[in-house]
């Protein structure tokens, strides 16, 4: 045998044989390539198995729905609101004697419940002056007429009291048709209550109708007061109190009401005089203070009434 061939066989035989660990030879495991650099894992270290990966079920609704609301009690007010029309529709679409009778019987029940409520409501209101609207303004016709006469007198008194303290600042333009309509109403305030009118022309020209020929031209007062349209009216009390009344034409009744309300808010007339001028007695308001009503109180009708009765009555 050729000595070179024999030498080659001697070199290849160890590679073709299996190792002690049962490793296949290079030719049987050639996909791994040259593995002479591989390291043998250390079997002395215990490998902690990783926990199995479980897929979490993520709910598409982060806030699962609560229990469905309970249906309203039969023949309750809520039940009638939701269901009476269905019986009516059934009676109209299919007017059998049973369908029509069912609708009318249900309507009778609802009307009787309303009558019982009205009877108890009348007794409750009569026994509690806080709830009786008759205490604020008489409901009887003859008493209501008397209240109107008192309101007229109080209105005259209140407006006269204001006119002695303040006048009306009147901004106009010569080409403003609404200013022409507003001017005669201002003369009524002058003649009836003695108001002093201070006309100011924004364009420096008089009104064509001839009202308020004696006027002053605007020198920046309108801008300072925020005038955006004419006619513009302000209640002016010397030395430096100016209250907005209206921008745009207003009726005589509305103008009087606005003057009274502005004067009352400014403290120029008393609350009692203001209330009488409106045709009502000294009005009071039952307004609970913030935080005085808790959930347990609101859920108990008896405690709720007691809590509201204990509230101070605001003027």
């Amino acid at each position: 045998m050729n000595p070179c061939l024999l030498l080659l066989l001697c070199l290849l035989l160890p590679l073709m044989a299996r190792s002690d660990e049962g490793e296949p030879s290079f030719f049987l495991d050639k996909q791994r390539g040259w593995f002479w650099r591989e390291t043998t894992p250390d079997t002395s270290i215990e490998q902690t198995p990783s926990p199995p990966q479980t897929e979490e079920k993520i709910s598409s609704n982060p806030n699962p729905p609560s229990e469905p609301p309970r249906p309203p009690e039969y023949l309750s007010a809520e039940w009638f609101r939701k269901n009476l029309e269905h019986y009516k529709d059934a009676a109209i679409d299919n007017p059998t004697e049973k369908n029509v009778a069912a609708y009318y019987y249900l309507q009778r029940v609802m009307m009787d419940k309303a009558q019982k409520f009205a009877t108890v409501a009348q007794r409750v209101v009569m026994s509690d002056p806080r709830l009786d609207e008759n205490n604020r303004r008489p409901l009887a016709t003859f008493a209501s007429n008397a209240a109107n006469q008192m309101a007229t007198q109080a209105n005259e008194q209140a407006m006269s009291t204001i006119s002695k303290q303040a006048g009306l600042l009147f901004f106009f333009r010569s080409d403003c048709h609404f200013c022409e309509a507003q001017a005669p109403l201002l003369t009524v305030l002058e003649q009836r209550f003695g108001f002093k009118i201070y006309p100011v022309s924004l364009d420096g020209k008089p009104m064509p109708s001839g009202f308020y020929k004696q006027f002053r031209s605007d020198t920046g007062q309108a801008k300072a007061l925020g005038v955006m349209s004419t006619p513009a009216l302000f209640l002016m009390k010397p030395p430096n109190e100016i209250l907005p009344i209206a921008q745009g034409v207003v009726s005589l009744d509305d103008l009087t009401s606005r003057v009274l309300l502005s004067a009352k808010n400014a403290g120029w007339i008393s609350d009692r005089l203001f209330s009488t001028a409106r045709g009502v007695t000294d009005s009071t308001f039952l307004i609970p203070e913030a935080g005085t009503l808790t959930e347990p109180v609101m859920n108990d009708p008896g405690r709720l009434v007691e809590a509201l009765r204990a509230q101070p009555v605001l003027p």
Side-chain angles (χ1 to χ4, degrees), residues 73-191:
E73 182 181 352
Y74 288 131
L75 304 186
S76 64
E78 182 182 1
W79 186 91
F80 274 112
R81 285 195 301 269
K82 295 181 177 180
N83 296 282
L84 185 61
E85 288 298 321
H86 298 302
Y87 286 88
K88 179 181 178 181
D89 294 343
I92 293 174
D93 295 336
N94 186 20
T96 64
E97 290 186 3
K98 291 182 178 180
N99 286 346
V100 174
Y103 168 68
Y104 274 103
Y105 265 99
L106 288 175
Q107 183 176 254
R108 179 75 263 169
V109 172
M110 182 181 65
M111 294 172 63
D112 289 345
K113 288 169 69 75
Q115 180 62 43
K116 289 183 63 177
F117 166 78
T119 301
V120 177
Q122 184 179 16
R123 184 169 66 249
V124 170
V125 170
M126 288 171 52
S127 62
D128 195 335
R130 296 177 181 85
L131 305 178
D132 195 350
E133 194 63 27
N134 192 62
N135 291 330
R136 298 193 178 190
R137 178 175 174 84
L139 301 180
T141 302
F142 72 93
S144 179
N145 292 335
N148 291 337
Q149 294 178 0
M150 292 174 57
T152 300
Q153 296 174 1
N155 192 298
E156 298 277 346
Q157 179 185 350
M159 292 294 287
S160 299
T161 301
I162 298 170
S163 67
K164 293 180 174 61
Q165 307 175 59
L168 279 170
L169 192 59
F170 173 43
F171 290 95
F172 69 91
R173 293 181 58 89
S174 62
D175 56 354
C176 171
H177 298 288
F178 292 124
C179 298
E180 295 282 354
Q182 188 72 76
L185 303 183
L186 298 180
T187 60
V188 174
L189 294 184
E190 283 185 295
Q191 298 170 2

Side-chain angles (χ1 to χ4, degrees), residues 4-47:
C4 294
L5 183 58
L6 181 60
L7 179 60
L8 180 61
L9 288 174
C10 292
L11 294 174
L12 293 177
L13 283 175
L15 296 176
M16 295 176 63
R18 289 182 176 273
S19 63
D20 296 339
E21 294 80 11
E23 289 283 345
S25 67
F26 167 75
F27 289 99
L28 299 179
D29 198 15
K30 60 183 179 180
Q31 292 85 353
R32 294 168 61 190
W34 295 99
F35 47 86
W36 54 273
R37 290 183 178 273
E38 291 184 356
T39 58
T40 303
D42 188 359
T43 59
S44 63
I45 303 176
E46 183 180 357
Q47 300 293 328

Side-chain angles (χ1 to χ4, degrees), residues 181-260:
Q182 188 72 76
L185 303 183
L186 298 180
T187 60
V188 174
L189 294 184
E190 283 185 295
Q191 298 170 2
R192 182 182 299 179
F193 306 119
F195 272 94
K196 177 65 176 177
I197 308 299
Y198 300 93
V200 178
S201 175
L202 296 185
D203 57 3
K205 300 178 182 179
M207 285 187 289
S209 60
F211 280 102
Y212 300 111
K213 296 179 180 180
Q214 302 296 326
F215 63 87
R216 294 185 178 183
S217 298
D218 177 49
T219 57
Q221 300 94 327
K223 182 178 180 181
L225 293 175
V227 174
M228 301 180 62
S229 62
T230 54
L233 297 170
F234 294 84
L235 198 59
M236 183 174 61
K237 178 182 178 181
N240 54 7
E241 290 187 74
I242 300 179
L243 307 177
I245 298 298
Q247 293 197 36
V249 63
V250 292
S251 67
L252 182 60
D253 289 340
D254 192 15
L255 178 58
T256 303
S257 298
R258 292 178 179 227
V259 170
L260 287 174

